[in-house]
Amino acid sequence: MNNLIVSKFGGYSVATAENIKKAAEIIKSNTARRYIVVSAPGRRSRDDIKVTDMLFMAHAMFSNKEKSYEDLLKKVAVRYQEIIDGLGINFDIEAEAADSMKSLVLGKNADYIVSRGEYVIAKIFAEYLGWPFVDAADLIFLKSNGTLDEEKTFTEAAEVLSKYEHAVIPGFYGSIGGMNIKLFPRGGADITGAILARALNADFLEKWSETSQIFSADPSIVENPEIIRNITYQELRELTYMGINVIDEDVIFLLQHVGIPLFIKNIHYPDDVGTFVSEELPEGTKREVAACIAGLRHYKAVKIEKFGLNKAHGIGEKVWGIFARRNIPCEHYISGIYNFSIILKNPMFDLKRNEIFEEIRNAINPENISVESELSLIAVIGKGMGTVKGLFARAFNAIAGVDVKVRMINQGSDDLNIIIGVDDKDFEKTVKALYNAMILS
Ligand code: ASP
């Protein structure tokens, strides 16, 4: 252990002076929390607008020669002023606002203008903590195609930050050649946290927000589902695929293989353990069978029947290519002896369906092609689940018990999930049944 934690506080955690005070208390309660990454102030209430969105809008208005961009920038300045007053610090927001205004007029691009959201709040936060501010533009370097220059970033970020015992760093952007600001995708302050955790070889990255809970099933379907306390990066990826967006894939990619864990924590309950994400489950982690049940509706299965398929060569390659050329991902593949099904979700498929079928007919001359719709896919996710005896019996008895017909099964080769296809109308029933059989202890 290096006794070094990178803590990332999201938009909610810096949306008000009150939340910033809470965040500061959390930071000061553990001396290992030395490098703090912040997002721009987020929503204070449901109908509020994030500073990032306001800045995107202001830039768009300016580009469209709409004068109202000035009012919008003023509103952003007022938000910061409220935070500054609430924190009781001295900070010249007028000067920062004037600077942003000038940058707009000078033709700075949207990335630069929007990045000021995190830049200014990081400076304010640093002032409140009495810690140095270090600009992400001097730590995180991107290539001209926008990808991370890993070598330069990891060495230079480590070198620069080694000069600071503590620092506050704005999230969400890096620079190309130390000059031009380039934003990460939305929600990208987590990526900044992961890059710095990696550069500093941190003990772990913390992600602080208003939610610390990843549920083992959708709470709108299952009443009071269990909270996942420990989950592996691989499992989290499967969850992300099933539409539960806890963390960006890039963050997982940066941390997983170097073994840096991630803690998901709630600023309102700092003592709650939250969810711990790691490459391997900590010893002693108890699970009934799986970690969670997650699913998505509205898939389609394209079924292709061809006699002699079992002996034919290159059929898959031909058919895949037809979808790939149209940028339609084939999400799952299920094979029989004389038929196979491609499971997909992309709306482009409906538009291009006739020409795709025509091309498949010309390419492999099948006996039949058909499409089945209203298919839901439900994943039972849990690393090492394959070693559980009677796993399938347990799942399918539960499904049969609620009178649901299984339309497909797919067990990944990585022992991480079983994917079960049912009719859309049976989605909720099946999720509940699987939850009771596989998660509840
Ligand atoms: N402020 C940016 C956004 O709203 C980045 C972030 O919050 O992570 O997307």
Side-chain angles (χ1 to χ4, degrees):
M1 294 291 243
N2 295 330
N3 212 23
L4 189 162
I5 302 169
V6 174
S7 306
K8 179 257 166 178
F9 288 87
Y12 176 82
S13 316
V14 296
T16 61
E18 203 189 319
N19 287 357
I20 293 182
K21 285 181 187 170
K22 271 191 188 159
E25 251 176 62
I26 293 168
I27 293 164
K28 296 272 164 100
S29 69
N30 184 342
T31 50
R33 292 190 177 115
R34 291 173 47 202
Y35 300 102
I36 308 303
V37 174
V38 288
S39 294
R43 286 190 197 95
R44 292 158 296 183
S45 60
R46 240 165 211 257
D47 43 14
D48 199 9
I49 308 178
K50 290 178 169 191
V51 163
T52 302
D53 291 320
M54 292 167 97
L55 294 173
F56 267 121
M57 278 188 257
H59 185 269
M61 285 171 174
F62 176 80
S63 309
N64 291 334
K65 306 200 169 32
E66 291 169 35
K67 228 22 202 141
S68 41
Y69 79 90
E70 285 180 5
D71 296 335
L72 202 52
L73 284 182
K74 274 187 200 133
K75 277 192 187 152
V76 175
V78 168
R79 280 203 63 176
Y80 283 109
Q81 189 62 57
E82 274 172 23
I83 294 176
I84 294 161
D85 293 344
L87 295 176
I89 53 170
N90 274 329
F91 189 90
D92 191 356
I93 193 65
E94 289 300 322
E96 295 291 348
D99 213 47
S100 297
M101 204 73 99
K102 203 167 86 202
S103 308
L104 255 180
V105 178
L106 288 175
K108 286 268 192 187
N109 64 12
D111 285 31
Y112 179 83
I113 301 299
V114 174
S115 71
R116 298 307 88 184
E118 347 286 291
Y119 176 87
V120 173
I121 200 69
K123 280 188 151 182
I124 293 173
F125 207 140
E127 180 68 33
Y128 182 63
L129 286 171
W131 287 10
F133 160 89
V134 179
D135 193 359
D138 301 327
L139 302 174
I140 296 178
F141 302 98
L142 305 168
K143 298 184 189 157
S144 50
N145 64 5
T147 58
L148 181 68
D149 186 337
E150 293 198 0
E151 217 184 294
K152 186 169 162 68
T153 298
F154 294 151
T155 356
E156 294 198 16
E159 203 176 298
V160 172
L161 291 176
S162 69
K163 299 186 188 110
Y164 298 91
E165 183 61 22
H166 301 107
V168 182
I169 301 127
F172 191 36
Y173 67 91
S175 68
I176 298 179
M179 301 279 291
N180 296 329
I181 298 292
K182 180 106 187 86
L183 293 180
F184 292 136
R186 292 302 302 264
D190 286 343
I191 301 178
T192 310
I195 292 171
L196 298 183
R198 174 93 181 253
L200 297 165
N201 193 19
D203 297 336
F204 49 84
L205 169 68
E206 286 179 336
K207 173 183 160 80
W208 290 90
S209 70
E210 69 279 33
T211 47
S212 53
Q213 294 153 339
I214 308 181
F215 291 108
S216 50
D218 181 347
S220 69
I221 301 178
V222 172
E223 212 177 308
N224 292 327
E226 288 186 11
I227 294 167
I228 304 177
R229 294 296 180 197
N230 294 293
I231 188 165
T232 66
Y233 278 116
Q234 268 181 310
E235 291 168 336
L236 198 61
R237 268 177 132 144
E238 301 282 315
L239 259 184
T240 312
Y241 170 74
M242 280 298 174
I244 317 282
N245 281 321
V246 180
I247 194 97
D248 193 277
E249 289 250 326
D250 285 343
V251 173
I252 302 180
F253 181 77
L254 279 158
L255 300 181
Q256 177 178 6
H257 297 295
V258 290
I260 298 180
L262 166 74
F263 255 117
I264 298 173
K265 306 269 285 180
N266 187 325
I267 62 158
H268 298 304
Y269 307 100
D271 299 329
D272 186 293
V273 284
T275 298
F276 184 68
V277 189
S278 51
E279 173 71 340
E280 297 296 335
L281 287 176
E283 232 170 88
T285 304
K286 283 209 181 73
R287 281 180 177 173
E288 185 60 16
V289 176
C292 50
I293 312 287
L296 288 172
R297 297 177 173 88
H298 310 313
Y299 282 90
K300 291 199 163 81
V302 178
K303 185 170 175 189
I304 300 169
E305 294 166 60
K306 182 170 171 63
F307 187 70
L309 187 69
N310 52 332
K311 297 203 188 96
H313 296 288
I315 298 250
E317 192 188 340
K318 284 181 193 152
V319 175
W320 255 246
I322 294 168
F323 287 94
R325 280 193 289 284
R326 291 169 177 84
N327 274 332
I328 300 176
C330 300
E331 312 227 358
H332 300 275
Y333 167 78
I334 298 160
S335 67
I337 297 177
Y338 297 128
N339 63 60
F340 60 96
S341 295
I342 289 170
I343 315 290
L344 41 87
K345 208 171 200 276
N346 196 295
M348 277 304 276
F349 170 71
D350 289 326
L351 293 175
K352 307 255 166 174
R353 179 173 160 159
N354 290 342
E355 60 174 76
I356 289 175
F357 280 14
E358 187 58 30
E359 215 178 313
I360 295 178
R361 282 193 197 98
N362 290 338
I364 65 164
N365 193 24
E367 268 83 61
N368 194 27
I369 313 181
S370 56
V371 184
E372 289 177 21
S373 310
E374 291 170 25
L375 173 68
S376 286
L377 296 189
I378 301 170
V380 180
I381 302 167
K383 202 172 175 183
M385 210 171 49
T387 55
V388 176
K389 276 204 188 113
L391 177 76
F392 281 94
R394 200 164 172 150
F396 294 118
N397 279 338
I399 299 175
V402 288
D403 205 17
V404 167
K405 184 177 144 232
V406 172
R407 284 176 55 182
M408 62 154 267
I409 318 160
N410 196 2
Q411 185 184 23
S413 53
D414 46 12
D415 212 15
L416 201 63
N417 65 30
I418 315 172
I419 294 178
I420 297 166
V422 298
D423 286 337
D424 279 344
K425 69 173 175 38
D426 293 327
F427 180 74
E428 297 202 353
K429 248 198 224 181
T430 314
V431 168
K432 279 186 197 154
L434 286 170
Y435 176 83
N436 290 335
M438 317 292 275
I439 307 281
L440 264 196
S441 38

